Amino acid sequence: MNIDDINLPDVLAEVQAAFARYEDALVNNKVEVLDELFWNSPTTLRYGATENLYGYDEIRAFRASRPSQGLARELLATVITTYGRDFATANCEFRREGAARTGRQSQTWMRTPEGWRVVSAHVSLLG
């Protein structure tokens, strides 16, 4: 890969759209969309603020049982970077509605035959 393959405009636009769709699904508790956007694989993982989830099935079970209140948040900063045509990272800082603490979210996205999917995610809160 060379530097010219980073943030190809068409690929960046695709990942930005996938990330926006994920964000909308997250704050509006659209569980079916969240399930769709995680890669259905035992190697997919999500480290949350209070949970470590290994494999698509654990992530899906978590989403199904998660309370639907208190999901609204404001994105403070978002950085999406694509590497070639099939791999990307998305990182953001956020603040939940009514909360003083900020959080961070990191996602690794991969192009699959079904479209862009999250293969790894991490969420944490600052102090």
Side-chain angles (χ1 to χ4, degrees):
M1 170 160 322
N2 66 54
I3 194 77
D4 294 332
D5 293 329
I6 296 175
N7 285 339
L8 295 167
D10 61 322
V11 179
L12 183 59
E14 290 174 8
V15 178
Q16 288 169 330
F19 179 84
R21 188 166 177 241
Y22 180 92
E23 185 65 20
D24 175 71
L26 181 69
V27 300
N28 292 297
N29 202 38
K30 297 177 183 176
V31 175
E32 67 286 347
V33 175
L34 294 170
D35 288 346
E36 173 194 331
L37 291 176
F38 272 86
W39 189 37
N40 187 347
S41 170
T43 61
T44 300
L45 67 88
R46 180 184 178 278
Y47 291 153
T50 61
E51 69 285 334
N52 294 331
L53 305 170
Y54 296 93
Y56 177 83
D57 291 339
E58 286 186 16
I59 296 166
R60 197 173 102 200
F62 168 78
R63 292 279 184 222
S65 65
R66 183 179 182 182
S68 61
Q69 294 78 30
L71 299 177
R73 68 186 193 171
E74 172 189 9
L75 293 182
L76 306 173
T78 302
V79 177
I80 297 173
T81 307
T82 64
Y83 304 89
R85 303 202 72 78
D86 301 319
F87 183 80
T89 58
N91 296 277
C92 69
E93 294 180 56
F94 65 87
R95 182 175 294 115
R96 292 255 177 241
E97 197 170 88
R101 292 171 43 177
T102 59
R104 298 172 289 189
Q105 172 184 296
S106 299
Q107 298 171 327
T108 303
W109 290 79
M110 177 179 73
R111 185 191 301 275
T112 72
E114 296 77 30
W116 286 97
R117 297 296 184 262
V118 175
V119 297
S120 177
H122 181 253
V123 178
S124 60
L125 297 173
L126 294 172

